[in-house]
Amino acid sequence: MKLAHLFTRTLRDAPSDAEMVNHQLAVRAGLVRLVAAGSYALMPLGRRVIQKIEGILRDEINRIDGQEIRMPVVQPAEIFQASGRWDSFGPVLQKIKNGSGREFALGPTHEDVVAFLAEREIDSYKQLPQHVYQIQTKYRNEARPRGGLIRLREFTMKDSYSLHTDYADLDRFYERMVGAYRRICERVQIDVFPVEADTGVMGGRDSHEFVMLHDQGEALVVVCDQCGYAANTEAAAFRLDKPEAVEWEAVQKVATPDCTSIQEVADFIGVPTNQTLKAVFFVNEKAGQVGEFVFVVIRGDLDVNEVKLINALGGGEVRPATDEEIRATGAVPGYASPMGLSQDVKVIADVSVRYGANFVAGANDAGYHFTGVNVPRDFDPAVVVDLAEPYEGAGCARCDGGHLHLKRAIEIGHCFKLGTRYSDVMDVTYQDEKGESHPVVMGSYGIGLERLMGLIIEAHHDDYGIIWPRCVAPFDVHIVVLGKEPEYVERAAQLHDELIAAGFDVLLDDRADCTAGVKFADADLIGVPVRLTVSKKALEAGCVEGKRRASSERVMVPLEQVVEWVGEE
């Protein structure tokens, strides 16, 4: 390809809102162009990179017996309604109507459609296991697309789905998929590791995210410094040490004037914050239902993880309750506890309320707190579950001596053990050897392609531009012609043809109106692995100047050895 004919151009400046390197360089190098918030056009260079990524994905997924299919982007509402996700998916699900008023959704993922197809195709254990996948457009109405290619509304995903007779077979295949994801990331030269994760609206039993550590990552993960346990904070458990057994005190009401924060109350009474109870109020909103007021109680030194709370409440969304909503229950903002409320209120407590005694809690009276509060003697929560946000240095729940450390990360791929979550509600069954019917056990596995391209850029760049690993580079070789003399241009064209004949993808910068500095800057920005410079000085020596993008070294390569030199790693 000749650069003069390329349907895009490089830019000297990055977009003003581009905070992440992938965003800056992808736009400047002409890989993508913004069309709408969260939606980019893939320009010729970017499309070539995505095609290379697609090839790697197909290699690895076919290696574990994947069968490629293609499912519609526009999906009828009836399928989502059958799976129960028409309402539970939330505003991320972009709903539309056709001219006759029939409702559809733009596919955010395709578990529902796979279950719909499996119900019609699978009837016997002899047909299982199955593994199908597609590389297809997805659309999610993300409230805050960010990070350039990292969080998009419209994007391409490799999504795989497996169908099994039982959980044991799912577990075996799951490990094969984890191995495939590891190999994919190794091939594109990014360092990732799996972490336990929340299953979210996907549902199911277990899930793992593959993440890359990154200071600007929107995910927060914990990693144990001893046993290697790793999890997203939305799913992470940590150890709460049991306090020494003490005699329960009687409840006493004490004045705590002007003490509305946990720290102020603890300091005033003279106890550590882990001997206080914090009241946090939410309203749980589910589609088609009246919002439910929820009173959350957690130890004062901890914070509520809202994803854990939503899971404990059975889905929906949560928002902070207003002061008016709090007072309507008989609680007093800043001085609240579940004790003595004027009406029946749903109380859900974090497990930390069991790790302590003689707590300090609000008295539901402005300026007063109770001391000597103990669970379940003084109040008995309807639900006690893990709701706490992990914190730096927390004890590891998987080993005795380890501690958890918080790290920022970006998710690259996600694997789910869906189990029978979709089969049960969509009647996806098979008959065993005895003719008895059982639900099909499912798995789901996804990788976003544009995000993967963005993370490759994040991992491989310098101050001048992108440094593509050869396996995903838009071209293998970038030829730069210095000088307008016909013999130089002709020799570069010959070299271009020789390299193509040898199997290389070649970009020829034949622009006559650009200086050497501009051409070299563009070559560094675009980041093709090998640069060959055709110039008067080099040709007079029977050579071209060769430079590998990842190195500062420049070498004179004899013309008859160029193909061999380019092929060297």
Side-chain angles (χ1 to χ4, degrees):
M1 178 179 285
K2 294 182 178 180
L3 192 54
H5 296 159
L6 191 65
F7 179 61
T8 190
R9 57 195 177 93
T10 57
L11 303 175
R12 298 278 73 83
D13 298 316
S16 59
D17 62 339
E19 298 178 354
M20 296 188 70
V21 168
N22 83 87
H23 189 181
Q24 298 165 4
L25 294 181
V27 173
R28 287 189 56 216
L31 304 177
V32 299
R33 288 292 184 259
L34 182 68
V35 176
S39 297
Y40 286 87
L42 281 172
M43 304 305 275
L45 295 178
R47 180 61 188 145
R48 291 179 72 93
V49 173
I50 291 296
Q51 287 175 321
K52 297 285 185 69
I53 292 173
E54 288 178 357
I56 291 171
L57 292 172
R58 285 191 173 94
D59 281 349
E60 295 299 339
I61 301 305
N62 290 342
R63 180 175 170 180
I64 56 172
D65 305 319
Q67 303 172 64
E68 187 166 3
I69 63 175
R70 186 175 180 86
M71 292 175 279
V73 175
V74 180
Q75 304 172 18
E78 293 85 355
I79 292 179
F80 281 97
Q81 289 163 349
S83 71
R85 294 208 296 179
W86 184 250
D87 293 321
S88 67
F89 220 110
V92 170
L93 185 67
Q94 182 66 60
K95 301 175 183 179
I96 58 176
K97 290 184 179 180
N98 66 9
S100 62
R102 186 182 179 188
E103 290 187 298
F104 294 83
L106 300 181
T109 181
H110 280 70
E111 290 77 16
D112 319 74
V113 178
V114 169
F116 172 85
L117 296 172
E119 190 273 330
R120 287 152 178 77
E121 300 295 331
I122 302 297
D123 54 33
S124 170
Y125 73 96
K126 295 179 181 179
Q127 296 171 270
L128 300 173
Q130 293 284 346
H131 172 203
V132 296
Y133 76 98
Q134 64 175 351
I135 298 175
Q136 171 67 298
T137 300
K138 301 286 186 289
Y139 189 90
R140 296 178 182 175
N141 190 28
E142 297 284 357
R144 293 178 296 277
R146 65 173 295 274
L149 303 177
I150 301 304
R151 182 169 291 281
L152 298 172
R153 290 192 172 118
E154 182 176 338
F155 57 98
T156 313
M157 179 187 283
K158 185 289 300 173
D159 45 322
S160 296
Y161 305 91
S162 62
L163 309 171
H164 308 269
T165 55
D166 54 35
Y167 279 98
D169 194 51
L170 169 61
D171 290 344
R172 286 189 291 269
F173 180 80
Y174 193 87
E175 291 307 312
R176 295 182 70 196
M177 183 62 77
V178 168
Y181 275 32
R182 289 186 186 277
R183 291 191 298 273
I184 289 165
C185 293
E186 288 171 0
R187 288 179 64 172
V188 301
Q189 298 178 32
I190 54 176
D191 294 327
V192 304
F193 60 96
V195 301
E196 296 180 15
D198 173 55
T199 57
V201 295
M202 300 287 281
R205 190 177 65 177
D206 301 310
S207 80
H208 288 81
E209 291 176 348
F210 281 77
V211 302
M212 182 178 88
L213 296 180
H214 195 289
D215 290 342
Q216 293 174 283
E218 61 182 356
L220 195 59
V221 301
V222 296
V223 179
C224 176
D225 56 18
Q226 181 164 295
C227 70
Y229 166 68
N232 189 300
T233 54
E234 297 170 351
F238 58 94
R239 186 178 67 248
L240 290 167
D241 296 324
K242 284 189 176 294
E244 295 182 9
V246 296
E247 184 177 345
W248 284 5
E249 299 172 356
V251 174
Q252 293 187 358
K253 187 176 181 179
V254 298
T256 53
D258 301 320
C259 295
T260 57
S261 73
I262 290 295
Q263 192 64 59
E264 288 171 343
V265 172
D267 290 344
F268 184 85
I269 294 178
V271 297
T273 56
N274 64 6
Q275 201 176 330
T276 66
L277 294 179
K278 182 190 300 182
V280 193
F281 304 95
F282 297 92
V283 175
N284 181 211
E285 298 178 329
K286 297 177 181 176
Q289 300 180 24
V290 176
E292 181 181 29
F293 186 88
V294 181
F295 191 137
V296 178
V297 184
I298 190 169
R299 211 169 67 183
D301 60 325
L302 302 174
D303 293 313
V304 176
N305 182 291
E306 291 190 8
V307 173
K308 290 183 179 181
L309 176 60
I310 289 171
N311 291 338
L313 295 170
E317 298 181 350
V318 295
R319 64 168 173 82
T322 65
D323 283 355
E324 291 75 16
E325 289 169 324
I326 296 170
R327 291 192 181 95
T329 68
V332 177
Y335 298 90
S337 81
M339 300 169 61
L341 297 183
S342 61
Q343 62 173 282
D344 186 30
V345 175
K346 183 170 186 176
V347 177
I348 180 170
D350 179 61
V351 293
S352 59
V353 302
R354 294 174 174 165
Y355 288 79
N358 301 321
F359 287 110
V360 176
N364 291 317
D365 187 359
Y368 291 90
H369 281 77
F370 289 130
T371 62
V373 175
N374 291 279
V375 179
R377 183 195 68 184
D378 300 314
F379 70 92
D380 192 6
V383 181
V384 180
V385 291
D386 174 19
L387 299 174
E389 182 81 17
Y391 59 91
E392 177 67 26
C396 178
R398 299 292 175 85
C399 66
D400 291 334
H403 292 86
L404 303 181
H405 299 284
L406 296 173
K407 299 179 183 295
R408 286 278 167 196
I410 299 174
E411 176 192 341
I412 297 170
H414 208 146
C415 297
F416 297 87
K417 293 182 181 179
L418 300 175
T420 62
R421 181 256 180 264
Y422 296 86
S423 301
D424 288 338
V425 295
M426 299 181 72
D427 197 29
V428 186
T429 62
Y430 71 93
Q431 289 190 336
D432 65 14
E433 300 94 324
K434 299 177 182 179
E436 296 177 350
S437 183
H438 303 275
V440 171
V441 178
M442 293 178 61
S444 174
Y445 322 87
I447 289 182
L449 275 69
E450 288 87 354
R451 177 178 292 200
L452 185 54
M453 179 169 73
L455 291 179
I456 294 169
I457 296 172
E458 292 287 338
H460 299 281
H461 69 273
D462 61 15
D463 291 341
Y464 304 102
I466 305 167
I467 307 175
W468 290 113
R470 178 170 285 191
C471 64
V472 293
F475 292 93
D476 301 311
V477 185
H478 189 147
I479 299 175
V480 174
V481 184
L482 300 186
K484 301 179 182 179
E485 290 78 358
E487 61 266 31
Y488 304 150
V489 176
E490 182 179 346
R491 190 65 189 91
Q494 291 174 357
L495 190 59
H496 170 273
D497 294 344
E498 291 170 10
L499 287 164
I500 287 178
F504 296 104
D505 291 330
V506 185
L507 179 63
L508 172 60
D509 188 348
D510 59 339
R511 294 175 295 177
D513 57 346
C514 291
T515 65
V518 168
K519 290 186 175 185
F520 287 144
D522 281 349
D524 284 343
L525 177 60
I526 295 170
V528 171
V530 174
R531 187 182 79 198
L532 299 176
T533 303
V534 177
S535 65
K536 178 180 179 181
K537 178 180 178 181
L539 289 178
E540 286 176 348
C543 299
V544 294
E545 182 188 85
K547 179 183 179 299
R548 301 193 187 278
R549 178 64 182 86
S551 170
S552 60
E553 182 183 13
R554 294 173 171 80
V555 298
M556 299 302 286
V557 183
L559 288 169
E560 64 274 12
Q561 297 177 18
V562 168
V563 172
E564 179 183 357
W565 185 82
V566 167
E568 296 173 358
E569 291 294 336

